[in-house]
Structure formats: C-alpha cells, structure tokens
Amino acid sequence: MAATDFLETPQGRRLAYHKSEGTGPTIVFLGGLKSDMEGTKAVHLEAWAQARGQAFLRFDYSGHGESSGTFEEGCIGDWHQDTVVALSELTEGPLIVVGSSMGGWQALLLAKAMPERIAGMVTIAAAPDFTEDGYWASFSDEQKAALDTVGHVELPSDYMEPYIISKRMIEDGRQQLVLRDALDLPFPVRCLQGTADTAVTTETAVRLLDHASGDDMRLLLVKDADHRFSDGPCLGLIENAVLEVMEPS
C-alpha cells in the first residue's frame, strides 16, 4: 500500500491523504463523522478509479484518522476548511465529489464554496444540518444544559464508541446549515439512501432532494441497505452513480 502523504493547512492543521494520478475529472471521497480514509467505500473507489486510470483523492479531516488534532476539538466549519484546502492544493480541474454521511454535508458546503470546480456529485446517506436537526432537536433539557456546564454531551453510536458532541460543534453547525437557504446544484447529482439506515432517515434524503435546485438530480432508495452502504451491491451502485454524473446521458 502506498505511503500516506501529508498537507499542512493555513490553519496549522496537518491532513493525511492518498492521491492517485490519472485522467480527469478527479474523484474525491469525503468521509463521514469519525470515519477515515481507510473505510471500505473510500478504498474501494480508489481501486476502481485506479483501474480506470482516473485521478482520485481521499483524505482525513483534522481530528480523524492520521490527521492532526482530536475529534472533540473539531466542528463542521473546521472540516469544511480542511476540504477546501485539500481540494485547492491537491487537485486541478473538474471534480466528481462523493460524500458519505457528514461528507454529504461537506459536499454541499463545497458546492457553495467552489461550484465552478464541481462536474458532478454523489451523496451516500447525506446528513446535511444534522448538528441542528438531529442532535440539537433531539437533546433533552438536561443535555442542552450540559453543553453549557460541561461543554459537551456523549451520544451512543450504532457503529463505534460514543460520540462526544461539543458546544462548539453545535454552535458552529448553525453557521454551516445548507437546508435553510437557496442551495443550487448546477451539475448532475445522484443521492443514494438505504431504507434500513438508523443514522440518516429517508425523510432527510427526500428533504434534500426537494430543497436543492438542479436540472439533473435523482434519489435512489435501496431497500434494507444500512448506513454503511458498503456491501458488494451497494458499492456497485456507488460506481454506477459516479459514472452517471461523470457521463450524463
């Protein structure tokens, strides 16, 4: 396996990444909350792109994987900064952005920050605005008070150790919301969502589809697929979606 490379950001963070050279457009994988670039989908897409001779980038946000910092110190805005720096410094030309879960939110933020670079987008169980509509909306009065007194709350996860959700993540998330104002996606978009997903609901997927404006945007619901969306058939659907946005009919 190729050695990990590192990028120093203007914010003083050190981002770990793997980049494969090839023809464009460059496929970029944006991972989920507390995930890393060694996840099944990221590694699979990299091998698939390499077999096609196509450029590919996967990286770890700060506080994730091999990058500097701790998860508890980070927030959506920090990871958006990481994404913009990584793509600006490590890629050229058109991009096909593939965002999983929180990475789907990051993909939508990217669409606002550099729409001219994006040639197509694929989201997998996209979780836009989840700090507000998921976490904050479901917090009890005691949990909301704990944000002020303790500075964080612990939330159980179906997939790993509990999430530590900081007051900063909640407050910063409110500055990054994408479902409250106009969201223009002027390129092909494919949204993939499993009906057995316990982390992101199908209602969230439909809300994104209804809210965003774009001439070529489709949602595919996959019966019984869970949040990981990483078994063989699901990986094939991701490949097909990338091909669709890259070569729209």
Side-chain angles (χ1 to χ4, degrees), residues 71-137:
F71 172 78
E72 291 76 17
E73 295 172 335
C75 62
I76 302 300
D78 289 351
W79 303 324
H80 173 56
Q81 288 177 340
D82 294 344
T83 301
V84 170
V85 172
L87 270 57
S88 298
E89 295 293 324
L90 301 174
T91 69
E92 296 179 353
L95 303 170
I96 301 295
V97 181
V98 182
S100 175
S101 193
M102 190 272 285
W105 189 356
Q106 292 294 337
L108 298 171
L109 287 170
L110 198 65
K112 287 176 168 285
M114 49 173 62
E116 72 285 349
R117 293 284 312 276
I118 302 178
M121 179 181 294
V122 176
T123 67
I124 306 158
D129 299 7
F130 71 84
T131 54
E132 190 71 10
D133 298 332
Y135 291 161
W136 180 256

Side-chain angles (χ1 to χ4, degrees), residues 131 135-136 147 165-174:
T131 54
Y135 291 161
W136 180 256
L147 285 179
I165 305 303
S166 68
K167 181 179 181 180
R168 179 171 182 251
M169 182 182 288
I170 296 297
E171 292 182 340
D172 170 83
R174 292 181 179 135

